[in-house]
Amino acid sequence: QAHLSCDLGRGLPLRECVDRVNAYVIRHRGGAEFATLMAARLAPDGSSVELVDAGHGLAAVQPRQGAAKLMKADGGPPLGVADVPYDSTHIQMGSDDRLLLFSDGLNEQRGPDGNDLGIERVVSTLRVDGDVDLDVESLVALLRAHAAGLPYTDDVSLISLKFEGISDATVS
């Protein structure tokens, strides 16, 4: 985290920052160790977010109006797995849009019937009239109900972010 924060603070492009963290992890890892990461950088004007997926991160956008959409986040393998350059994805965001970032541990959780929860169910749980708290609460409830008491098969990471835009008074 400190390495990534330092590179971002120096103004390096997000893709380059993730490339540099990956190289660091490769140099310092032991055995088959790796880490997953979803790195995000908000555009200065608040109109878009840049994402780099290092591993199995997923993203969905719930626009202010209309249905939620799964977004493809480019990137590469988990950090420490291969010395390859990472790609990034830019997603346009409008005022009051919400961005959901989640790990594959959410959608790949198996239920008692052996079926995965599934990306479609995750995305369809987002609601236009919801908010960031409801996004997380609804998805955690969905995960628990689907698992039905079974242990989670993978770690689960989940965050919902609301884009409020940047007013003209805050832009200099």
Side-chain angles (χ1 to χ4, degrees):
Q1 289 174 328
H3 194 288
L4 184 60
S5 179
C6 181
D7 283 347
L8 289 169
R10 292 182 17 216
L12 295 176
L14 184 60
R15 289 174 25 173
E16 185 178 336
C17 293
V18 175
D19 288 346
R20 291 167 55 89
V21 169
N22 184 49
Y24 178 86
V25 171
I26 288 172
R27 283 193 312 271
H28 294 92
R29 70 183 166 99
E33 294 176 329
F34 65 91
T36 58
L37 168 75
M38 176 68 87
R41 178 183 271 169
L42 183 64
D45 66 359
S47 66
S48 67
V49 64
E50 179 184 13
L51 298 174
V52 176
D53 173 25
H56 307 289
L58 298 159
V61 171
Q62 173 59 67
R64 181 172 28 144
Q65 298 178 345
K69 299 174 280 210
L70 182 67
M71 306 305 293
K72 180 174 177 358
D74 292 325
L79 299 172
V81 172
D83 187 13
V84 297
Y86 287 82
D87 292 321
S88 66
T89 301
H90 292 266
I91 299 173
Q92 292 301 121
M93 301 297 295
S95 183
D96 294 329
D97 289 354
R98 297 188 318 275
L99 175 66
L100 178 74
L101 303 175
F102 58 102
S103 65
D104 62 347
L106 178 63
N107 59 285
E108 292 179 358
Q109 174 61 44
R110 293 193 186 271
D113 61 0
N115 291 321
D116 288 357
L117 176 60
I119 291 175
E120 297 80 15
R121 288 183 65 195
V122 170
V123 175
S124 68
T125 299
L126 300 175
R127 297 179 23 192
V128 170
D129 60 346
D131 60 36
V132 294
D133 293 329
L134 184 60
D135 291 345
V136 173
E137 291 166 8
S138 298
L139 288 167
V140 169
L142 178 67
L143 174 68
R144 287 182 177 149
H146 183 76
L150 293 175
Y152 297 147
T153 54
D154 197 356
D155 61 298
V156 176
S157 301
L158 169 64
I159 187 170
S160 181
L161 306 165
K162 181 178 179 180
F163 286 73
E164 296 180 352
I166 298 177
S167 70
D168 292 336
T170 60
V171 177
S172 53

